Amino acid sequence: MGGPSRGSSAAGGPPAGGPPPSRAAGPSRAGGYELPPAYGYGTPLPNQTAVSPSPEAPVQSTEHVSRETPGMDEDDPPLAMEALRAVQILNPSGEIIMPRPDHPRVICVANQKGGVGKTTTTVNLAVALALHGNRVLVVDLDPQGNASTGLNVPHHAGVPDVYDCLIDNVPLAEVAQQVDGIPNLYCVPATIDLAGAEIELVSVVARESRLARAIAGHPVKFDYVFIDCPPSLGLLTVNALCAAQEVLIPIQCEYYALEGLNQLINNINLVRQHLNPTLDVSTILLTMYDRRTRLADAVEQDVRNHFGAKVLNAVIPRNVRVSEAPSYGQSVLTYDPGSRGATSYFEAALELAVRGVNTGGAA
């Protein structure tokens, strides 16, 4: 009755329903590689020129604006732009080639906290790179087998899996399966047998380097090997850290995701000192960014201040298509290539590839 109307703000702020903030136009760039114009609404990448406002232009409000706020009234872009992005991401003609590294990059995707997007990141980065000219192998080292599910690779009991490689010295080439519909992508699945590997590895000679030897013995030289780790710091994760040259850490844009980072970094440092001196935390990827909260921006700022250039400019937003895709045995890039989730993972994969070329391997 006497309260504020629906269109007004109780705190004296601007009325609801006003025009959304504008977004800088122009293509995103990554290390000299220019993204198609359809990706211009995403996170700006290095070398993108800032546009200075003209003297006559009105002063922009300093009100909090999230990086994921779209430049339109609705979250979804126009159908034409969405279709263009879908074609560019699926790359049916094979014309779009992401830069390939000079030598194989073995990347361990690790974070002992569960639910931060390790498997989702592994699957979607692998698919993005494979769709754009890179040979990619995914090693599912999580007994839950979610990466195998996301790539629609059989991993029921009795299927040859990574357990056989770790315990019985079965060659990796006999276990790897080609992913349907993506000729450049292979997956070493995980079955429930892997759950017992932690205990069985305790008495095995050179237990920390079993996976490293298996990967080195594969006859195919892949451009990328992604190792999806379990949410723990046990022997399986140690095997992944010993086999990798780089560590990619997905960090959820929430406070709890930051709490275990020190322990993870300490463990990585121990592995570097005693087992794998070439190991490097090369990449941090922010995931599940929620544009509606200031907390997401605060977490992002903290992570960027601490890790600096290791943090990818691309940020993965919360997107329902990303969550739906695994239930269909697909990545978000093949499930809904026009979605914001697919675009964000494409940009992250491109940035990862360009950084690797520019730095000679490590992103």
Side-chain angles (χ1 to χ4, degrees), residues 61-132:
S61 170
T62 57
E63 182 183 359
H64 169 76
V65 176
S66 163
R67 67 165 65 243
E68 286 300 325
T69 302
M72 290 166 283
D73 290 336
E74 298 180 358
D75 284 348
D76 292 328
L79 289 178
M81 183 177 290
E82 185 172 333
L84 175 61
R85 286 205 309 272
V87 171
Q88 291 164 336
I89 287 175
L90 290 176
N91 194 25
S93 65
E95 295 177 353
I96 304 175
I97 304 295
M98 289 188 184
R100 300 176 64 181
D102 295 332
H103 56 82
R105 295 178 64 184
V106 183
I107 301 175
C108 168
V109 183
N111 192 329
Q112 82 274 17
K113 186 181 185 305
V116 298
K118 290 187 298 295
T119 298
T120 301
T121 294
T122 300
V123 167
N124 286 291
L125 290 181
V127 169
L129 289 163
L131 287 173
H132 295 84

Side-chain angles (χ1 to χ4, degrees), residues 140-208:
D140 190 353
L141 209 59
D142 187 345
Q144 298 177 82
N146 293 145
S148 306
T149 300
L151 294 172
N152 199 28
V153 171
H155 61 105
H156 52 80
V159 172
D161 73 328
V162 69
Y163 170 89
D164 300 314
C165 301
L166 295 175
I167 304 300
D168 298 327
N169 287 321
V170 174
L172 208 65
E174 297 182 11
V175 175
Q177 303 181 36
Q178 183 175 341
V179 176
D180 289 341
I182 308 178
N184 286 333
L185 182 57
Y186 294 79
C187 176
V188 177
T191 68
I192 193 61
D193 293 339
L194 191 59
E198 292 270 8
I199 298 175
E200 295 183 54
L201 281 172
V202 170
S203 59
V204 173
V205 176
R207 59 192 179 189
E208 300 91 354

